[in-house]
Amino acid sequence: MFAVISDIHSNLEALTVVLEDIEKRGIDTIYCLGDVIGYGPDPKQCLDLIIEKTKWCVLGNHDYASFYEPTNFNYGAEQAAFWTRDVLENEPDKALRDKRWEFLGSLPMRHTCRITLAGTEVATDFVHASPRKPINEYIFPDDVYTNPVKVQILFEKVEHICFVGHTHLPGVFLDEPDFYLPSELGDEYPIIKDERAIINVGSVGQPRDKDPRAGYVYVEDNMVNFVRLEYDIDAVTEKIIAVGKLDNFHAERLFEGR
Ligand SMILES: [Fe+2]
């Protein structure tokens, strides 16, 4: 069994609830698809938990933005990236400061492996955004109707299964192309031989599918299970509003899941 989490966005309250749920299920292998930081008020605590609790993590565009530079960010996201960088730079404990920067600076763009699920070996890719452009390319559910060729081209890069985050919209893409919401799948998708899938695990700290609950997936045997959990949104939004340099919109959107 393993869990895949993504897009925490410095939301400690959501991350804590998700990690507790994973532990309750007896899962001790956690993979992270990036965007640990950005938007939210607790970058240090979230980085420390991800370093401690996950087996590995890949690089997200917001991690890139704070460590290197923001690219194609709107004003609010860019301000959040610079504020996050300040917070990390102003950490007085040198060992902690170095540990976090070294973690951010060494995140790979992709993790590829073969996993045995219910007796079948599954070629699995883990990226933040897309198999073609692992840090920045959005794969939206609507793309299967508005840009099917794009989705088909993306599937040329997928040997069998690719886990992604980035859009904060959970669900499963098949190579028809097709897209299925977790609710259309009964919140579970079976990984089967000869069916390629791009699986979006959703977002821990900033869901955008109109459901404000924190999201992640865990895989048991060959079944991908989509999980949603309530958390203390008031607590995180109060902290966002208290930080003058974080746009209040980053707080408001959490209540609506957008
Ligand atoms: Fe994100």
Side-chain angles (χ1 to χ4, degrees):
M1 278 213 286
F2 60 90
V4 189
I5 64 176
S6 189
D7 294 274
I8 294 93
H9 287 296
S10 300
N11 184 335
L12 180 62
E13 283 71 19
L15 178 60
T16 303
V17 165
V18 164
L19 291 175
E20 282 170 3
D21 191 69
I22 291 170
E23 194 178 336
K24 249 187 265 164
R25 293 178 195 277
I27 300 167
D28 51 20
T29 303
I30 308 173
Y31 307 134
C32 178
L33 302 184
D35 276 9
V36 179
I37 53 178
Y39 293 128
D42 288 312
K44 295 199 276 195
Q45 295 84 342
C46 289
L47 278 169
D48 292 346
L49 275 173
I50 293 298
I51 292 168
E52 182 194 349
K53 301 280 186 184
T54 66
K55 199 158 182 190
W56 47 253
C57 179
V58 296
L59 178 68
N61 55 320
H62 286 257
D63 311 314
Y64 183 98
S66 285
F67 189 84
Y68 300 99
E69 61 174 11
T71 36
N72 296 325
F73 274 28
N74 62 42
Y75 182 75
E78 186 173 88
Q79 288 304 106
F82 291 137
W83 176 81
T84 300
R85 182 185 292 172
D86 283 345
V87 169
L88 298 177
E89 278 176 346
N90 292 329
E91 166 62 54
D93 182 328
K94 185 181 183 306
L96 266 178
R97 191 170 70 232
D98 290 351
K99 181 179 82 168
R100 294 173 189 140
W101 283 125
E102 276 165 24
F103 173 80
L104 284 170
S106 61
L107 291 176
M109 291 201 290
R110 181 191 303 271
H111 190 98
T112 302
C113 55
R114 304 189 90 82
I115 301 175
T116 302
L117 299 175
T120 304
E121 200 177 75
V122 179
T124 315
D125 263 322
F126 298 85
V127 292
H128 177 65
S130 98
R132 174 167 67 173
K133 295 173 75 180
I135 300 174
N136 271 309
E137 184 172 39
Y138 291 91
I139 319 171
F140 287 111
D142 276 357
D143 287 343
V144 302
Y145 308 112
T146 60
N147 204 347
V149 173
K150 168 186 161 187
V151 182
Q152 277 159 346
I153 289 169
L154 293 178
F155 266 103
E156 288 172 13
K157 303 269 180 205
V158 178
E159 189 179 336
H160 189 176
I161 297 295
C162 181
F163 285 97
V164 300
H166 194 44
T167 61
H168 306 198
L169 299 167
V172 177
F173 294 87
L174 300 180
D175 61 4
E176 298 275 332
D178 248 327
F179 175 79
Y180 296 92
L181 292 164
S183 58
E184 294 172 313
L185 299 167
D187 293 323
E188 52 183 36
Y189 169 74
I191 294 174
I192 51 175
K193 206 166 172 274
D194 301 328
E195 183 169 86
R196 290 185 296 168
I198 296 173
I199 301 169
N200 193 308
V201 304
S203 168
V204 170
Q206 195 194 77
R208 293 181 190 162
D209 60 350
K210 306 276 166 68
D211 178 348
R213 295 176 299 167
Y216 79 98
V217 307
Y218 70 92
V219 180
E220 183 171 20
D221 297 324
N222 66 327
M223 193 66 82
V224 180
N225 299 273
F226 291 86
V227 181
R228 299 304 284 264
L229 299 163
E230 287 182 5
Y231 71 95
D232 190 348
I233 298 178
D234 288 314
V236 63
T237 54
E238 276 168 27
K239 285 191 265 182
I240 291 172
I241 289 163
V243 176
K245 287 184 178 167
L246 291 177
D247 191 328
N248 286 357
F249 174 62
H250 304 324
E252 289 157 22
R253 68 192 307 174
L254 295 180
F255 287 106
E256 293 159 38
R258 70 183 171 110

